Amino acid sequence: MAERAHKQREELDEMGELVVFPGAAAAPADEPGPVTPPPAAGPVQPAPEVLTGELITDAEYQRSKARKLAEQAVSKLPAKWQSAESAKQAGAALAGRAAALPFRYPAAVGRGAVVSARAWWSWVRVADFYDAAKSSDSLASRWQEIAVVRRRRGVVTVAGAGTTGLAGLVTELTVGSVPLLVAGGAVSLVLAAAGRRKDGSPGRQAVLGGSRSLAMLLDGDNLIEAFRAAGAIGKGDPLYFVERPRQDSTGWSMVLDLPPSRRASDVIAKREALASALAVDEVRLILERVRGDRGHAGRVALWIGHSDPYAADPVPSPLASAASWDLWRPVPFGATARGADVSLPVVWTSLLIGAIPRQGKTFVARLPLTAAALDPHVRLIIADGKGGKDFRPFEQVAHRSIRGSREADARRLIRVLEECAADVADRFDRLSEMDDELCPESKVTPEITRDPAHGMPLTVIGIDEVQNFLGMDVPLDEDNPKGKKVGQRICELLTFIAKTGPAAGYSLVLATQKPDAQVIPDGLRGQLGTRFALKVMTYQASETILGAGTYRAGMDASKLLTSHKGVGLLLGADGETELSAGDAVTVRTHLLHIAAIRAACERGRVLREQAGTLTGDAAGQNDLADLDPTVAARLAGEVTATATGPEPVDAELLPEVLELLADVLGDDEHGLVPVAELAARIEWTPKRLGEELRAAGVPSAGKRRVEGHPNPVAVVDVDAIRAALGG
């Protein structure tokens, strides 16, 4: 027994591999083992881990090795053979092609004959030489030469045709028809190959090129090639179907696992390149990560629409027919390209809406405000920076309403916001005194907001064209022209309410057609937890609305079509709502006409009258009470501290250029540095670095003379980069 075991061990040593199974049986008892010396005096050391092994025969070893090779081979096969279902689909596709072959083959031969005839005629007419001479204005001097070549090729054609006909006749008379049939079959195969249909074929025309089109085959081969062409996976990387491709009336959908070295977020960022590889517009392509227990960082859900999903008529909002609404419930907002309903939370967050003019921004802003109007326990405050009729229906229910953006309107808005800020501070004082059962988390609850005895209704402040108020460069104190401006004061108050108000039941809905960092500063924009970006002109404007880093993650509202009114990217950024904080959802918002809004506000007014909650301007109480001096002094300090205090920089939201520069800048490095030098450190081009720095808010220092460079070069201030990093 011992000799046999020793012999097997020598054979395995020669093969160079030992198959180890943790927990296998130990060596036989009659086999001698190493002698263990007695433990030395001193502390007992833990015994090292021992791997036990089982000796196997050569046949077993070969079988295990064959299994490994088979598993590796299967993992490298195309996606079509990775499951029984996909193999069945591939077989059905091949069977369909085989059944259609008798009908497709003659057509392909005919097309091939036409293509060959055109090619022959182009050769006989010396079309390439003729066109070249014509384009170079030398046709007159070359005409004799072209005519000679044409005659020669015509003679060759006639001689070749005669020779072929004579050879066929001789063959028929001497041998029979079999060689002619074989030759004819070979010629038909060549013609069929020349006339076959395929994506990207040039329309069977000599000059005009054809166009690429989507040929979504269930075997997955073209899908793999598209991912490789887009750079989403490597040349030798496979794809894995987690769920077989499904087709419905809207398009194709499937769930894919990427190779272990690839991340779903990287693929989503290459959405435009993948859409190009698939020959579809990017609005027809949706890529989403599969999260939770059913997904992982390398699993992506892919949907390809048969047509533009946003070209259909918009869906009417359910709010048009709702008798009332509970604002603690998310508001019906719109639908995705695949028809899934999307709801917008209003409580615990604030909303920023941005777009270029005439893209549906006002329509979108009125959706959550209409839901607030239908809830009798909600206090509504409206400020219309345009001064038109878009928000006039809300005056029936609004506690405070401001129409226009003149100086007097802006100063009234300041007083309204000061009243709100004082109410926020007062609410926190009272919430801190409530018992834990009524107020368990120092936040308002539905019971608190609906009980008139507490005086803490949910309050929604909607401001359209907010840039008209924030950009008002008028001195707040007329006696101090160089002091704080009206727009600065409004920004301070909005920042305070957006930062501290949600826990006290306050929400903001701000809409602007000028999404500019100078108009809406970071201190205010960073407190707005929900963002909705309709069509904008540049990716920088998209990042201003959605947040820094969203463009790099594949979220760009500048890619939306102008014809897609009411379509935008919805992103939750605060983690307090049901919206994803990492991925934006493309939403086609519901349509709610002003007539339906007016009817909804009429119903909301009746509900408020019945509940006794109609207050402020809607109830004829237009006068604003002066703040108590003590409250005003306390409020002034808190608002100023909140608006001017430093905000922590979220590393996850930093632009990519700042993340890379943070790793390569020295701690003691200051002053001006050539852009080319910084670009070399992060392996970028100077042009790209300059563009990305400007997009990240780092100004250029122009061209300067620096040490080591004889001529002026483009430079950047390292201290400005550190300021953008928040340090």
Side-chain angles (χ1 to χ4, degrees):
M1 185 69 177
E3 293 179 358
R4 179 184 177 186
H6 184 67
K7 183 178 180 181
Q8 289 178 347
R9 179 175 295 174
E10 289 181 349
E11 292 176 353
L12 290 175
D13 289 341
E14 291 177 359
M15 288 186 288
E17 181 172 342
L18 176 65
V19 181
V20 178
F21 302 94
D30 56 353
E31 183 178 5
V35 178
T36 304
V44 179
Q45 299 293 331
E49 181 182 0
V50 178
L51 295 177
T52 59
E54 179 182 0
L55 297 176
I56 61 174
T57 64
D58 182 65
E60 291 174 343
Y61 168 75
Q62 295 297 338
R63 284 195 297 269
S64 66
K65 190 172 183 180
R67 283 195 301 269
K68 288 183 179 179
L69 293 175
E71 291 173 358
Q72 294 174 358
V74 169
S75 67
K76 295 179 181 179
L77 285 175
K80 64 180 181 180
W81 305 116
Q82 288 170 8
S83 69
E85 185 65 30
S86 57
K88 185 188 300 182
Q89 293 169 348
L94 291 175
R97 290 186 180 184
L101 187 61
F103 305 97
R104 296 175 60 188
Y105 187 79
V109 172
R111 289 192 299 271
V114 173
V115 171
S116 301
R118 286 175 175 169
W120 165 78
W121 183 246
S122 176
W123 176 76
V124 170
R125 301 297 296 171
V126 202
D128 51 350
F129 193 10
Y130 179 87
D131 292 339
K134 187 175 181 180
S135 62
S136 61
D137 295 330
S138 60
L139 183 60
S141 60
R142 297 283 186 177
W143 177 251
Q144 292 295 332
E145 185 178 352
I146 293 174
V148 171
V149 176
R150 284 181 174 179
R151 284 194 297 270
R152 184 189 311 126
R153 292 185 178 182
V155 171
V156 170
T157 300
V158 173
T163 303
T164 302
L166 181 61
L169 179 62
V170 172
T171 303
E172 174 71 22
L173 295 176
T174 58
V175 182
S177 301
V178 175
L180 297 179
L181 292 176
V182 172
V187 171
S188 70
L189 288 174
V190 174
L191 293 177
R196 70 189 186 279
R197 291 186 183 275
K198 61 180 180 178
D199 284 349
S201 61
R204 305 307 166 198
Q205 296 182 14
V207 178
L208 296 179
S211 60
R212 295 186 298 115
S213 62
L214 174 68
M216 177 50 61
L217 304 178
L218 291 181
D219 60 11
D221 283 343
N222 65 324
L223 190 64
I224 293 177
E225 291 304 320
F227 269 74
R228 291 173 180 169
I233 60 175
K235 287 187 176 181
D237 291 338
L239 285 176
Y240 305 92
F241 281 140
V242 178
E243 296 179 3
R244 67 182 181 88
R246 299 176 183 274
Q247 183 184 19
D248 55 24
S249 59
T250 62
W252 288 96
S253 61
M254 61 200 74
V255 178
L256 303 169
D257 267 357
L258 302 172
S261 60
R262 303 288 174 168
R263 298 180 299 180
S265 57
D266 296 333
V267 175
I268 294 173
K270 297 180 180 293
R271 175 168 163 262
E272 184 177 359
L274 185 58
S276 174
L278 292 170
V280 297
D281 191 273
E282 51 262 42
V283 299
R284 291 172 53 192
L285 176 64
I286 294 179
L287 296 169
E288 298 174 338
R289 276 194 58 186
V290 182
R291 311 295 294 269
D293 294 338
R294 299 185 65 244
H296 53 77
R299 181 166 294 178
V300 61
L302 181 145
W303 180 82
I304 305 173
H306 292 320
S307 59
D308 185 350
Y310 307 115
D313 295 333
V315 178
S317 173
L319 297 173
S321 58
S324 63
W325 193 263
D326 181 4
L327 201 62
W328 283 92
R329 294 165 51 200
V331 177
F333 191 65
T336 65
R338 303 182 63 181
D341 292 332
V342 177
S343 297
L344 178 72
V346 177
V347 182
W348 309 129
T349 186
S350 293
L351 172 65
L352 173 63
I353 304 167
I356 60 175
R358 293 175 297 279
Q359 287 301 305
K361 167 181 55 63
T362 298
F363 280 79
V364 173
R366 293 187 304 193
L367 287 172
L369 297 179
T370 302
L374 287 170
D375 190 337
H377 301 289
V378 171
R379 180 186 295 164
L380 191 58
I381 296 173
I382 298 294
D384 183 3
K386 287 187 298 188
K389 62 181 292 186
D390 293 329
F391 290 86
R392 194 166 297 184
F394 295 102
E395 295 178 1
Q396 302 178 72
V397 295
H399 177 72
R400 300 293 179 208
S401 59
I402 298 170
R403 190 191 308 165
S405 58
R406 297 175 292 273
E407 181 181 348
D409 301 321
R411 292 187 181 277
R412 178 174 172 81
L413 178 59
I414 289 176
R415 295 192 62 190
V416 170
L417 294 178
E418 287 177 343
E419 185 180 65
C420 294
D423 184 41
V424 169
D426 179 64
R427 289 189 183 194
F428 278 116
D429 291 341
R430 290 187 286 149
L431 288 171
S432 64
E433 300 297 330
M434 292 182 179
D435 60 78
D436 294 342
E437 184 175 352
L438 179 62
C439 181
E441 297 181 0
S442 297
K443 298 180 180 180
V444 295
T445 63
E447 292 75 17
I448 294 175
T449 58
R450 293 169 184 156
D451 189 349
H454 298 299
M456 299 186 192
L458 290 177
T459 303
V460 179
I461 303 174
I463 304 179
D464 190 30
E465 304 299 352
V466 67
Q467 77 278 355
N468 293 340
F469 295 107
L470 296 176
M472 186 162 290
D473 193 23
V474 177
L476 181 63
D477 185 356
E478 297 177 356
D479 297 332
N480 184 13
K482 296 184 179 180
K484 187 177 296 183
K485 308 300 182 181
V486 168
Q488 290 177 292
R489 181 58 176 170
I490 294 175
C491 183
E492 288 180 355
L493 291 166
L494 289 176
T495 304
F496 174 80
I497 295 171
K499 186 172 185 177
T500 63
Y506 273 77
S507 298
L508 297 178
V509 178
L510 306 182
T512 178
Q513 67 178 16
K514 192 177 181 183
D516 190 297
Q518 295 179 348
V519 175
I520 305 179
D522 293 337
L524 172 58
R525 191 172 64 250
Q527 305 304 323
L528 306 175
T530 305
R531 319 283 181 84
F532 188 67
L534 295 109
K535 169 66 178 179
V536 295
M537 296 306 298
T538 64
Y539 80 89
Q540 292 92 341
S542 176
E543 283 207 329
T544 300
I545 303 169
L546 298 176
T550 51
Y551 172 75
R552 178 163 51 94
M555 295 172 271
D556 184 7
S558 66
K559 298 297 184 182
L560 298 173
L561 300 182
T562 307
S563 59
H564 293 160
K565 299 185 185 300
V567 178
L569 301 179
L570 180 64
L571 178 67
D574 59 356
E576 289 280 351
T577 68
E578 63 182 21
L579 296 176
S580 172
D583 303 315
V585 180
T586 304
V587 180
R588 185 180 184 88
T589 55
H590 290 154
L591 180 62
L592 193 61
H593 289 292
I594 192 169
I597 295 174
R598 185 176 295 108
C601 290
E602 291 173 356
R603 297 195 298 272
R605 183 180 180 90
V606 172
L607 292 172
R608 281 170 171 77
E609 291 174 345
Q610 294 174 352
T613 55
L614 191 67
T615 60
D617 294 351
Q621 304 164 0
N622 300 323
D623 295 335
L624 292 170
D626 294 332
L627 293 180
D628 182 87
T630 305
V631 175
R634 172 192 172 188
L635 184 62
E638 291 182 355
V639 168
T640 304
T642 301
T644 60
E647 292 291 336
V649 178
D650 189 348
E652 295 183 357
L653 297 180
L654 279 177
E656 180 183 12
V657 62
L658 295 182
E659 291 181 0
L660 295 175
L661 290 177
D663 296 333
V664 299
L665 289 177
D667 295 336
D668 56 349
E669 192 171 2
H670 298 281
L672 300 178
V673 177
V675 174
E677 180 182 328
L678 284 181
R681 295 186 195 179
I682 61 175
E683 298 180 353
W684 280 16
T685 63
K687 180 180 179 181
R688 180 186 176 188
L689 177 61
E691 293 175 350
E692 294 293 336
L693 283 175
R694 286 191 295 272
V698 179
S700 172
K703 289 189 175 182
R704 306 282 183 87
R705 290 186 180 273
V706 295
E707 185 178 354
H709 295 271
N711 298 319
V713 295
V715 294
V716 64
D717 191 349
V718 174
D719 295 324
I721 298 176
R722 296 190 190 281
L725 287 168

